[in-house]
Amino acid sequence: MFLGLMLNESFGQNTQKPPLHGKHWMAITGKPLGATAGAMIFAQGGNAVDASCAMLAAVCTMWDVLSWGGETQALIYNPNTKQVIAINAMGISPTGATVDFFKEKNMQYPPEFGPLAATTPGTPGGLMTMLAEFGTMSLEQVLAPAMEMAKGYPIEAQTANMIESRKDLIKEWPYSKKVFLPHLGQEREAPHAGEIFVQEDLYQTLKKLVDTEKEALAQGKTRKEAIYAAYDRFYKGDIAEEIVRGTREQGGLFTLEDLAKWKVKIEEPLSTNYKGIEVYKLQEWTQGPVLLQTLNILENFDLKSMGYNSANYINTVYQAMNLAFADRDFYYGDPDFNPKSPMKGLLSKAYAKQRAKLIGEKNDPEIGPGDPYPFQNGKNPYLHLLVKRKNALAYYQPELPIQGPEDPFLKQFQSGTTSIQAADKDGWVVSVTPSGGWIPAVIAGNTGIGLSQRMQSFVLDETLNPFNVLEPGKRPRVTLTPSMALKDGKPFLSFAVQGGDTQDQDLLQLFLNIVEFGMTVQEATEAANIHSYQMQSSFGAHESKPGSITLNTSVPSWVRKDLEKRGYKMNFLERTSGPLNAIWFDWKHNSFWGGSSNHGEDYGIAW
């Protein structure tokens, strides 16, 4: 029985971090102080949604590769309805952001940084919606840790050094320079590690939200109504006015109408069943369905008999991921716009079986998107584009292998944000992958709000992806992709990771490590994953390197030799696990197992 295997027979892999155990609650996120914020809320009686909101606020304030002006994506298991709910708090492209606008500036994609890279802020609305609809506490309570941090917290070395390394770009934006560079003119202009980092403008913005909530409560409004009053002040009131003023002053395109008309969407997630386990992902405006497609493909193979990280296993998983990502690159986009992605066909088991037949002894660097339309009783209107697509990939570079851990392509491809996991004894489970507004970020006027850089994930040429062509008011197809799985109608696994285009690669392998190979959740988060770069990067120059593969340094020589014969171009890293964060549910003992990988600064607390 699988449950006994998890609890009584370790996979035998040593881990650098112990698993977390808890029976009341569990809080995991990208920074120790962020996890502490979640623990504080749990200790005050909050549920997993309250704690997740507190962690989200804290990591945004800490610039844990994101900020308050970014985007939030979440899956929530509601124990009252026994359903998984999807939160879509991805901002939209502003008025004036058109294909012609960027092509007139001789751009192949919207820019990587700066005010023209920004979608409208989504995270504040996402946090307040989650809290209002599914939490129990006030906005004042869940923002308290973040507000204290905005008044001043000891900044950690990772963020401080990132500021210093990007200070030349930061200096181009006056409000960013004011916040990030307290030692302007000195040799080191960024804060020092451990220095008390103060963000007074951000504190005042958060205080305005709390003040609005208090005023609404004093007028007899309900908890939910008071939170939405704060929401309206952010998107329609004086905060919105300053965000728009400050953004447009620096060359951005936001209008007040853009912020006012944007709304958080509470959606139905997509799902598939893998060997009796229901796996849930967000819709195709994220890359999340890639995981579902890959599981459908791999269901046609006996992975367990191949052996964990054998050459056959790596070759099979690598190609299955490439098949699904090829479909992502061409077919995924915002479902609120036409054309509509053919998701029924893409997620059909019959389509997956057809795609699985393309997996051979050697990787095919020429593999492209399939045709899912016949599997939803339709005819593909874009076959003519598929023929032209390869020629449109200006940065298709199969002949250039990755040059080690400092390769700029590798660093960009794997660039991360943070993730949040929370669960409580009453059954609430939350998985979040927030992002956007990473350093170097443009700060919107005197708000302290760092703007998103997600516009770069649009395409300007329909030959690349007719579903993800830039239009005003549209959400870009993002890499952000929280995950959740149920077994026998109960939470089985909640998991998320940072890492751009590698996210669903790591999440897939974490899931297989547990389901196929019986690893504990901590073993699975630290395990020796592989990464493919055959898909088109969602960032920067949008490169693709077919046949390139990252392997863990622990992969033995005979596996390396076998993969080399199959034509793989290998590079090796000591840590290849994400960093992954996950919660596994032990229903035999009614407790939680938490895993947080040894890859970065991710940290969990449980009780």
Side-chain angles (χ1 to χ4, degrees):
M1 181 176 170
F2 172 72
L3 186 61
L5 178 64
M6 270 294 298
L7 295 177
N8 300 321
E9 297 179 28
S10 168
F11 182 76
Q13 174 173 297
N14 293 327
T15 61
Q16 294 184 4
K17 294 168 72 172
L20 290 165
H21 292 282
K23 70 173 185 178
H24 294 293
W25 52 260
M26 188 164 284
I28 310 174
T29 191
K31 299 283 186 186
L33 283 179
T36 301
M40 291 166 66
I41 295 301
F42 273 131
Q44 295 169 34
N47 71 6
V49 178
D50 299 319
S52 296
C53 290
M55 288 190 278
L56 175 58
V59 294
C60 285
T61 302
M62 296 175 71
W63 297 89
D64 185 17
V65 205
L66 78 164
S67 173
W68 277 93
E71 47 271 356
T72 287
Q73 296 68 220
L75 293 172
I76 299 172
Y77 177 76
N78 183 337
N80 301 320
T81 62
K82 313 296 183 187
Q83 292 180 322
V84 178
I85 306 137
I87 303 295
N88 175 347
M90 178 67 232
I92 56 173
S93 54
T95 298
T98 64
V99 169
D100 289 343
F101 176 86
F102 287 103
K103 284 191 172 181
E104 286 169 5
K105 295 180 178 294
N106 296 315
M107 295 181 182
Q108 290 182 302
Y109 295 89
E112 186 177 358
F113 298 112
L116 291 179
T119 52
T120 57
T123 287
L127 186 154
M128 287 185 272
T129 298
M130 289 167 60
L131 182 65
E133 299 293 336
F134 307 108
T136 66
M137 287 183 156
S138 67
L139 188 61
E140 180 180 20
Q141 286 173 298
V142 302
L143 292 188
M147 291 178 70
E148 183 175 348
M149 295 172 77
K151 274 293 192 183
Y153 76 96
I155 194 169
E156 76 285 2
Q158 184 185 60
T159 302
N161 292 338
M162 176 62 75
I163 293 170
E164 179 67 14
S165 70
R166 305 312 297 261
K167 65 182 181 182
D168 289 345
L169 198 50
I170 288 169
K171 288 178 183 178
E172 295 182 14
W173 310 311
Y175 302 100
S176 301
K177 180 171 65 175
K178 180 179 73 168
V179 172
F180 287 129
L181 303 177
H183 309 300
L184 204 59
Q186 299 180 22
E187 183 178 353
R188 182 184 175 97
E189 297 177 301
H192 297 271
E195 180 178 337
I196 303 302
F197 181 50
V198 178
Q199 301 170 79
E200 183 61 30
D201 286 346
L202 177 60
Y203 173 80
Q204 293 298 331
T205 296
L206 299 180
K207 185 175 182 297
K208 287 177 181 178
L209 297 177
V210 169
D211 288 346
T212 302
E213 178 191 50
K214 286 180 178 178
E215 291 167 9
L217 290 170
Q219 294 167 8
K221 301 289 187 182
T222 65
R223 184 191 72 91
K224 181 186 288 192
E225 289 169 339
I227 293 170
Y228 281 128
Y231 180 113
D232 285 344
R233 184 170 184 180
F234 188 93
Y235 289 98
K236 299 176 183 177
D238 57 339
I239 298 174
E241 290 172 359
E242 179 59 16
I243 288 173
V244 170
R245 186 205 65 77
T247 301
R248 294 183 73 86
E249 177 193 332
Q250 297 174 91
L253 300 173
F254 290 164
T255 66
L256 283 170
E257 185 183 2
D258 291 332
L259 268 65
K261 72 182 181 182
W262 179 83
K263 291 283 186 289
V264 177
K265 295 170 68 69
I266 300 176
E267 301 177 334
E268 289 283 331
L270 299 175
S271 66
T272 197
N273 186 291
Y274 182 85
K275 298 186 176 181
I277 300 170
E278 291 289 333
V279 183
Y280 292 86
K281 300 292 286 190
L282 294 166
Q283 294 180 14
E284 66 270 20
W285 57 274
T286 74
Q287 72 174 0
V290 159
L291 177 64
L292 308 180
Q293 283 192 247
T294 311
L295 287 172
N296 286 344
I297 293 168
L298 291 174
E299 206 169 35
N300 295 281
F301 298 88
D302 186 356
L303 299 177
K304 188 173 183 178
S305 71
M306 295 179 187
Y308 168 69
N309 272 5
S310 67
N312 283 338
Y313 176 80
I314 290 171
N315 179 62
T316 302
V317 171
Y318 184 94
Q319 292 185 64
M321 293 192 301
N322 291 344
L323 289 164
F325 273 99
D327 285 339
R328 178 206 74 168
D329 287 349
F330 188 76
Y331 289 113
Y332 289 18
D334 187 345
D336 286 348
F337 282 71
N338 288 320
K340 306 290 186 185
S341 299
M343 294 312 299
K344 184 177 179 181
L346 288 168
L347 292 179
S348 76
K349 297 284 188 176
Y351 177 65
K353 193 167 188 176
Q354 183 195 74
R355 296 288 272 170
K357 293 176 182 177
L358 298 173
I359 294 178
E361 285 298 307
K362 292 186 176 182
N363 177 58
D364 180 1
E366 303 289 328
I367 203 73
D371 183 4
Y373 280 89
F375 297 89
Q376 58 181 41
N377 299 316
K379 185 176 180 181
N380 194 335
Y382 299 109
L383 290 176
H384 65 292
L385 295 182
L386 285 174
V387 175
K388 302 176 182 177
R389 184 175 178 276
K390 184 181 173 184
N391 293 331
L393 293 170
Y395 291 91
Y396 180 79
Q397 298 180 332
E399 73 285 356
L400 296 176
I402 292 168
Q403 303 297 317
E406 295 305 312
D407 187 312
F409 166 79
L410 181 64
K411 294 177 77 172
Q412 181 186 70
F413 198 98
Q414 295 183 329
S415 61
T417 171
T418 197
S419 64
I420 294 167
Q421 297 294 308
D424 64 41
K425 61 181 175 55
D426 294 323
W428 288 95
V429 186
V430 185
S431 181
V432 194
T433 314
S435 190
W438 52 75
I439 297 165
V442 175
I443 291 180
N446 295 305
T447 64
I449 302 289
L451 298 177
S452 170
Q453 300 97 336
R454 198 58 62 171
M455 285 277 288
Q456 65 185 294
S457 293
F458 279 114
V459 300
L460 304 181
D461 180 353
E462 72 164 1
T463 309
L464 293 171
N465 181 344
F467 304 87
N468 188 39
V469 177
L470 172 65
E471 293 181 53
K474 190 174 185 178
R475 291 171 170 86
R477 195 278 301 153
V478 299
T479 55
L480 306 156
T481 176
S483 311
M484 198 171 290
L486 306 185
K487 187 177 183 182
D488 300 325
K490 297 178 181 179
F492 171 76
L493 186 69
S494 182
F495 51 125
V497 68
Q498 59 157 290
D501 294 279
T502 63
Q503 285 182 41
D504 277 304
Q505 301 186 51
D506 282 319
L507 294 167
L508 169 74
Q509 291 167 85
L510 170 104
F511 181 82
L512 295 175
N513 290 342
I514 293 172
V515 173
E516 295 288 356
F517 299 108
M519 293 189 194
T520 68
V521 69
Q522 186 59 40
E523 288 171 339
T525 60
E526 291 190 25
N529 289 351
I530 67 167
H531 291 146
S532 168
Y533 308 98
Q534 189 152 311
M535 63 290 301
Q536 190 175 15
S537 171
S538 300
F539 305 100
H542 299 263
E543 295 174 78
S544 170
K545 292 182 181 288
S548 288
I549 186 171
T550 290
L551 298 171
N552 193 276
T553 52
S554 66
V555 172
S557 59
W558 58 89
V559 174
R560 300 183 188 195
K561 289 178 182 177
D562 192 329
L563 293 172
E564 188 175 19
K565 289 178 183 176
R566 298 176 194 241
Y568 286 100
K569 296 181 282 291
M570 297 174 282
N571 71 90
F572 301 90
L573 295 176
E574 191 174 329
R575 296 177 182 178
T576 55
S577 63
L580 287 153
N581 289 320
I583 301 173
W584 181 79
F585 296 85
D586 178 1
W587 291 104
K588 181 178 179 180
H589 301 106
N590 288 318
S591 64
F592 311 121
W593 286 57
S596 184
S597 82
N598 61 340
H599 192 285
E601 297 184 344
D602 295 61
Y603 196 82
I605 303 175
W607 185 250

